[in-house]
Amino acid sequence: MSPPESPARTPWAIRAAGLVAVAAFLFLVARFWHPVFGFTALIQLDASNDEIKLTAFRELPVYVHRDTGGYDGLYYAQLALDPTLRNPQFPAAIDNFAYRARRILPPALAWVLGAGRPEWIAQIYPLLNVAAWLALAAWLWRFLTVDSMRGWLAWFGVLFSAGALASVRLALTDLIALAVLAGSLWAAERGHKKSAVGICAAAALARETSVLALAGLVELPWFSWKNVFRALAGLVPLAAWLAYVRWRIGPADAGWGNFMFPGAGLVEKWRAALAATSTVNDKLIAWTTVLATLGLTVQAAFFVVRPRLDDRWWRVGAAYVGLMLFLGTAVWEDFPGAAMRVLLPLTLAFNVLACRVRAPLVWLVVGNLGVFAGLLAWRDTPFDGTELAATRTGPVAAIVQTGEGWFPAEQHGRHRWQWSGARGTLHFETWPRSQSARFQLNFALRSLNPRTVVLRQDGREVWRGEVGEKLSPQSVVVPIAPGHATLEFSTAAPSVRESPAADARSLAFALYDFSLSVAEK
């Protein structure tokens, strides 16, 4: 079945809703940008993995999360530093190395776009999913000929699904595979049969389950040599790469632990999801998981109750319904679960087909309830309030965090400050790790009574000045040793109570509007 021709005009309200959705997505992504770390917070490197990561990642400013447990995006990002798999540090740095190496297309793409330079690759890899999302948004808008609320719901349901947004949020390979797969089916509908098979084969190198989409590329008669050749052409690149992985690394975990008896995993997921609504403190994450599970279940039911064997999109959806029934605990567990990403092609096929056959609107609404879990994944940003300033000029970068001795930050208008009772520390982290750099510190100080404040670096005095009730702007150039350094503001004069109240703070001085920049040599 070919997609309908594009209408002459799309209602302005639908176009505006599409633009708002894209702007909302870009806003969510922008919240994870950092002037030093870029978008590497999306890679989900955790402090527990910090000591085993590749040397190149230790030398680069890559954001380290605190106590999140990390996630798979870290492994694929490191694979991008050497897609040939020859780096001797890989076995220690990458969990289940041979298994991760199967999904080589996104790492290899990041390596090519980054010209093999680690500092570029680290920034490019987490943005591949962003690019895939935008490409899929543009393609799907045209493919669905979005000119009504029905079309917009189908478009929105794919792009803001739990699986799509989780893949972007955690820098995984699923959405990239889906975008490539969509290109394969687009080519097939336009009669480019060889291209369609080749593109599908490429999608399998991003996620191996993409080979199931070959169901949408075969044609009547089903049992024919042409279909055999199509299947072989779609499977050979993945098989060849798996053979290379085995030769280079050795046997991999086959992944059979991700499967179980038909339907058992889905039933187990429903029981766990419903139980979580009364046992998990975070009710939002529990209930959005229930909605996401309901959405996937409805999508599967749509293909069961509305068979259309002659439609390639129905065949793709039916293939993934089969996969869904065999998924095991490891894929369904957690909130909302990896199944939402694994079954992204099911979500795509459901929305395309439901839109084309003009299924009752309730199918699209209930089938896309996973969008709430998708949006919830972006609820919190990883950056905490301890960071005081950051700067980057070329390869030289630094961040400054407040340490001990400071009261919580206060702000009014354009001024931001923190009081100290006597002494307060600042912790510097700098890059590159192999060389020192000079930084210009700009700040202002104020106290409740006249006093002398001294700035020391690792015990050595680098500045002192007289401080009073009026703001005293200062600019100090400080050489910082490679890696880490500690600065301390202190005063010998006793602190002063801010008021007669019983809970009044004892204050010595306040540090205002701290910023830093790389000093000229």
Side-chain angles (χ1 to χ4, degrees):
M1 178 187 295
S2 298
E5 294 297 322
S6 297
R9 296 189 62 180
T10 300
W12 69 266
I14 298 297
R15 291 198 303 268
L19 290 173
V20 168
V22 172
F25 169 76
L26 293 176
F27 170 75
L28 291 175
V29 173
R31 292 169 67 236
F32 282 73
W33 180 82
H34 186 277
V36 169
F37 300 115
F39 286 100
T40 59
L42 297 173
I43 294 176
Q44 206 68 17
L45 166 62
D46 184 74
S48 61
N49 302 108
D50 195 33
E51 293 304 316
I52 63 172
K53 65 186 179 184
L54 298 182
T55 300
F57 265 43
R58 296 180 190 177
E59 295 293 327
L60 296 170
V62 177
Y63 186 79
V64 178
H65 294 257
R66 297 182 180 179
D67 304 322
T68 61
Y71 211 68
D72 300 352
L74 165 65
Y75 307 128
Y76 300 121
Q78 293 187 96
L79 278 174
L81 298 179
D82 183 7
T84 65
L85 313 180
R86 293 177 298 178
N87 190 312
Q89 295 181 347
F90 276 164
I94 298 176
D95 172 46
N96 202 344
F97 178 26
Y99 180 78
R100 306 294 178 197
R102 295 174 180 176
R103 299 161 189 172
I104 198 60
L105 181 64
L109 183 58
W111 183 86
V112 171
L113 294 176
R117 299 181 59 174
E119 65 273 21
W120 292 1
I121 293 169
Q123 297 299 326
I124 289 171
Y125 175 78
L127 292 176
L128 290 180
N129 271 279
V130 178
W133 191 98
L134 293 172
L136 189 62
W139 171 83
L140 198 57
W141 186 274
R142 181 182 177 188
F143 193 75
L144 292 175
T145 57
V146 180
D147 60 354
S148 65
M149 180 55 68
R150 179 188 304 275
W152 187 88
L153 278 174
W155 177 83
F156 186 86
V158 174
L159 296 168
F160 285 83
S161 63
L165 289 186
S167 187
V168 181
R169 170 62 187 84
L170 298 170
L172 302 171
T173 66
D174 308 87
L175 186 62
I176 299 169
L178 183 71
V180 177
L181 203 58
S184 170
L185 293 165
W186 170 271
E189 295 216 336
R190 273 145 186 78
H192 306 303
K193 299 174 183 178
K194 292 181 180 179
S195 297
V197 173
I199 298 171
C200 184
L205 292 173
R207 174 167 273 283
E208 56 273 24
T209 53
S210 297
V211 297
L212 293 176
L214 288 168
L217 305 184
V218 297
E219 298 176 345
L220 283 170
W222 305 124
F223 301 102
S224 66
W225 284 111
K226 285 186 177 180
N227 285 339
V228 171
F229 289 138
R230 289 188 183 104
L232 288 175
L235 291 170
V236 163
L238 175 62
W241 177 250
L242 293 179
Y244 175 80
V245 171
R246 184 180 179 87
W247 171 73
R248 173 64 64 183
I249 304 172
D253 177 0
W256 295 118
N258 293 330
F259 301 97
M260 59 194 310
F261 291 111
L266 179 60
V267 171
E268 183 182 344
K269 175 64 175 181
W270 267 111
R271 288 175 177 169
L274 292 173
T277 61
S278 58
T279 59
V280 174
N281 291 331
D282 190 340
K283 300 302 180 185
L284 267 179
I285 201 171
W287 278 106
T288 54
T289 296
V290 169
L291 292 178
T293 307
L294 175 60
L296 268 186
T297 305
V298 168
Q299 290 176 20
F302 179 82
F303 289 92
V304 173
V305 303
R306 301 173 72 100
R308 299 172 63 92
L309 188 60
D310 61 333
D311 190 300
R312 74 174 73 253
W313 287 99
W314 184 88
R315 296 198 300 274
V316 170
Y320 282 90
V321 170
L323 175 64
M324 176 182 181
L325 292 176
F326 284 92
L327 293 179
T329 303
V331 187
W332 285 111
E333 65 185 353
D334 214 341
F335 304 96
M340 308 300 161
R341 295 183 284 102
V342 175
L343 297 173
L344 268 174
L346 170 62
T347 299
L348 175 64
F350 164 78
N351 280 284
V352 169
L353 195 56
C355 188
R356 285 191 180 180
V357 303
R358 301 191 65 79
L361 202 59
V362 65
W363 280 106
L364 281 169
V365 172
V366 181
N368 287 310
L369 289 175
V371 299
F372 296 105
L375 291 169
L376 191 66
W378 294 79
R379 174 177 55 178
D380 302 318
T381 60
F383 311 122
D384 57 33
T386 63
E387 185 176 301
L388 191 59
T391 188
R392 184 168 189 169
T393 301
V396 180
I399 62 169
V400 181
Q401 293 182 308
T402 53
E404 297 179 350
W406 301 100
F407 290 101
E410 303 173 60
Q411 187 162 355
H412 180 73
R414 62 186 180 87
H415 294 295
R416 185 178 187 273
W417 67 94
Q418 286 183 262
W419 283 97
S420 174
R423 62 184 66 236
T425 59
L426 302 180
H427 299 300
F428 272 70
E429 187 171 6
T430 68
W431 295 267
R433 301 299 201 191
S434 58
Q435 67 183 63
S436 59
R438 298 169 74 244
F439 294 92
Q440 181 172 312
L441 316 183
N442 300 300
F443 56 91
L445 291 168
R446 173 177 171 263
S447 64
L448 298 180
N449 60 352
R451 65 182 60 239
T452 300
V453 176
V454 179
L455 174 62
R456 293 182 175 87
Q457 179 186 1
D458 299 325
R460 178 177 58 86
E461 182 177 318
V462 295
W463 173 88
R464 71 168 52 221
E466 300 302 316
V467 179
E469 295 184 15
K470 293 184 178 181
L471 280 178
S472 173
Q474 304 293 334
S475 182
V476 182
V477 174
V478 178
I480 301 294
H484 300 273
T486 299
L487 271 67
E488 180 188 75
F489 286 92
S490 64
T491 181
S495 57
V496 178
R497 291 178 63 83
E498 61 182 333
S499 73
D503 59 349
R505 299 174 298 178
S506 293
L507 306 177
F509 57 87
L511 178 65
Y512 274 72
D513 305 327
F514 185 93
S515 66
L516 78 159
S517 59
V518 179
E520 296 182 1
K521 294 184 179 180

